[in-house]
Amino acid sequence: METLDGISTGRIDRLFAGIEAFVDPAFDGWTRTVFSPSYRAERSWMTEEFILAGLEGVRVDDFGNIVGILPGRYSDAKPIVIGSHTDTVERGGRFDGIVGVLGALEVAQRIKESGSVLNRPLMVIDFFGEEANPFGLTCLGSRALAGSLTVTDLERVSPEGKRLGDAMQSFGLDPSRAVSGKHPAQGSWHAYLELHIEQSSTLDQTGCNIGVVSAIAGIKRLVGRYMGQYDHAGGARMKTRKDALLAAASSALALHEFACGSPEYAVATTTHIDSLQLAQNVVPGRSELRAELRSTDSAWFGAIEKDLALRLSMRAAEFGCELDVEWFLDNEITHTDATLQETIAAASTSLGLTWTAVPSGATHDSVHMTGIAPMGMIFIPSIDGRSHCPEEFTPKKRHTQRHCGTRKKRPSGR
Ligand SMILES: [Zn+2]
């Protein structure tokens, strides 16, 4: 039997083998998208695993989340809550979210086996539908639990013309209860902790065992609409053109340079550029650019609209074009709780694990838990930083420390 630091990994190996049976054969990797038959079958299996793990009161809550409790000494004490999600993107990996749920089941069983009883209840959650879906709304279960899912959200329509509310109903959920169910009040949990893969390369490159998450990046998205002039591609001279597609392409480079020049963690991604016309003998007179920016730097994030509007307008003007930019705020920057950061770091050190403070560029269910409880996240390495792909991998064995010289570095507070 393989062991990790002298402890058998047989039980967690069995859980991973079990969940990997529930995949969509139409895709490579470990695909289990929300609302899919493979996800439905997996959730039925997972509910049984919650019971097998010795959790009590196992149920699917009003919001689609699987919940179970390891009772504590004082039943009325605020619970410690741990968990993550088990749905994946198409062509997804084996560990994103899954390690947090299977890890939480293992934690509950280890506590039971140790013979000790926590003062507080330990609640384990497998959140419903965390990943992106055709309805354009992530974190369905955690969002609903936090009371942030709205009646308007239920009216969102997929490209196939299906309503989100109808999709939830077909999946066996009551959409009206998902928006009106009883939400935990602010402060009603003692703490929320989520174990997750890093989905970036800091831990893998430095050889650190544990990432103490300092903050989860805020996300702003923009649509830039460029107005130039349609012209004959053969007749219009180069110096007189107002090429809206070139203005957008130049703006994509400006966005890239803007994020490269940020003082702290920041990324910018241009995802679409469209000339809005098909003829190959026409100078593009209109174009549209879509991009998103993420950062954990409050000052930089707060000034994005003003700073970028100027840069992008200058790029548009270089090509004789005008620009209209529309902004959408997806998430504000979410800071993890400073005391939980210290606790995770101290626990890592006491276990002989190296750690470093890291930002999270990806959004997680934990973002929605900050209104209910102090929130912390524990990252483990992703080999080569790969995630949302079949190559996503996290080894069971701990990393050999290479450049992780930050054991003394304190995690950052708010
Ligand atoms: Zn995830």
Side-chain angles (χ1 to χ4, degrees):
M1 182 80 61
E2 190 174 5
T3 64
L4 179 65
D5 298 338
I7 298 169
S8 166
T9 61
R11 187 164 51 203
I12 202 103
D13 290 341
R14 184 191 70 78
L15 284 173
F16 267 102
I19 199 167
E20 285 163 12
F22 302 102
V23 294
D24 186 339
F27 297 95
D28 290 338
W30 284 265
T31 301
R32 194 165 44 250
T33 56
V34 66
F35 302 120
S36 67
S38 56
Y39 187 50
R40 183 194 285 263
E42 178 265 326
R43 290 185 82 61
S44 169
W45 170 84
M46 182 61 82
T47 304
E48 288 299 314
E49 290 299 335
F50 268 50
I51 296 167
L52 283 174
L55 297 175
E56 298 182 9
V58 176
R59 66 199 166 91
V60 177
D61 69 11
D62 287 343
F63 318 105
N65 309 306
I66 302 173
V67 181
I69 291 179
L70 181 69
R73 186 167 287 114
Y74 308 109
S75 60
D76 56 348
K78 294 178 180 180
I80 295 169
V81 183
I82 56 176
S84 192
H85 63 95
T86 54
D87 62 316
T88 74
V89 295
E90 289 178 2
R91 288 171 285 276
R94 302 165 65 196
F95 300 92
D96 175 356
I98 294 140
V99 75
V101 177
L102 300 188
L105 291 180
E106 182 67 12
V107 165
Q109 289 175 96
R110 291 277 174 95
I111 290 171
K112 266 190 113 158
E113 286 168 357
S114 74
S116 52
V117 178
L118 299 182
N119 282 336
R120 303 173 176 282
L122 179 77
M123 187 189 296
V124 176
I125 299 191
D126 177 1
F127 286 111
F128 173 65
E130 190 267 358
E131 296 286 5
N133 57 52
F135 304 95
L137 195 70
T138 58
C139 300
L140 295 174
S142 52
R143 188 184 297 270
L145 180 75
S148 305
L149 186 76
T150 65
V151 173
T152 309
D153 289 330
L154 298 178
E155 298 301 320
R156 285 169 173 260
V157 178
S158 71
E160 291 78 37
K162 189 164 190 177
R163 282 175 66 251
L164 173 59
D166 292 339
M168 291 173 75
Q169 194 133 32
S170 306
F171 201 71
L173 301 174
D174 181 343
S176 65
R177 290 194 70 81
V179 294
S180 65
K182 192 169 183 301
H183 315 295
Q186 188 165 13
S188 59
W189 293 353
H190 182 66
Y192 173 75
L193 267 176
E194 183 165 346
L195 173 71
H196 204 281
I197 57 168
E198 187 191 10
Q199 304 181 282
S200 189
S201 55
T202 301
L203 299 180
D204 188 43
Q205 285 180 358
T206 59
C208 276
N209 306 126
I210 296 293
V212 181
V213 178
S214 53
I216 298 171
I219 307 174
K220 287 179 182 173
R221 300 200 164 96
L222 69 94
V223 178
R225 297 184 181 87
Y226 295 79
M227 289 147 286
Q229 185 172 291
Y230 289 110
D231 266 315
H232 195 291
R237 297 304 175 95
M238 296 305 285
K239 283 188 178 170
T240 62
R241 293 184 178 201
K242 296 180 179 177
D243 188 325
L245 192 64
L246 281 181
S250 180
S251 294
L253 292 173
L255 275 157
H256 179 79
E257 291 157 10
F258 183 65
C260 288
S262 71
E264 227 185 81
Y265 171 80
V267 290
T269 309
T270 299
T271 53
H272 296 81
I273 296 179
D274 192 344
S275 70
L276 308 178
Q277 51 106 5
L278 292 174
Q280 280 187 277
N281 59 353
V282 178
V283 176
R286 297 281 185 277
S287 71
E288 195 170 279
L289 172 147
R290 289 172 184 265
E292 67 153 47
L293 298 103
R294 302 185 185 215
S295 181
T296 53
D297 181 336
S298 300
W300 189 87
F301 193 68
I304 281 177
E305 283 102 323
K306 190 161 115 330
D307 292 352
L308 254 186
L310 183 64
R311 288 177 185 233
L312 299 184
S313 293
M314 285 168 63
R315 295 293 180 114
E318 285 174 22
F319 295 90
C321 297
E322 291 180 10
L323 169 63
D324 175 54
V325 179
E326 191 176 0
W327 288 94
F328 305 89
L329 174 68
D330 192 303
N331 277 326
E332 290 284 6
I333 297 168
T334 306
H335 294 276
T336 55
D337 181 76
T339 304
L340 286 176
Q341 289 182 32
E342 298 284 354
T343 304
I344 296 164
S348 301
T349 302
S350 72
L351 291 167
L353 298 169
T354 55
W355 59 266
T356 189
V358 291
S360 173
T363 302
H364 301 285
D365 290 306
S366 57
V367 166
H368 298 279
M369 297 301 101
T370 51
I372 303 172
M375 180 275 284
M377 285 198 79
I378 306 163
F379 275 178
I380 54 174
S382 301
I383 297 299
D384 294 330
R386 301 291 305 280
S387 179
H388 281 192
C389 58
E391 293 79 13
E392 176 187 288
F393 189 69
T394 295
K396 258 188 301 191
K397 298 281 185 191
R398 65 174 62 181
H399 267 41
T400 306
Q401 185 175 339
R402 293 194 293 270
H403 313 294
C404 186
T406 51
R407 278 177 76 165
K408 294 191 188 72
K409 182 180 168 190
R410 296 175 73 81
S412 61
R414 291 186 77 99

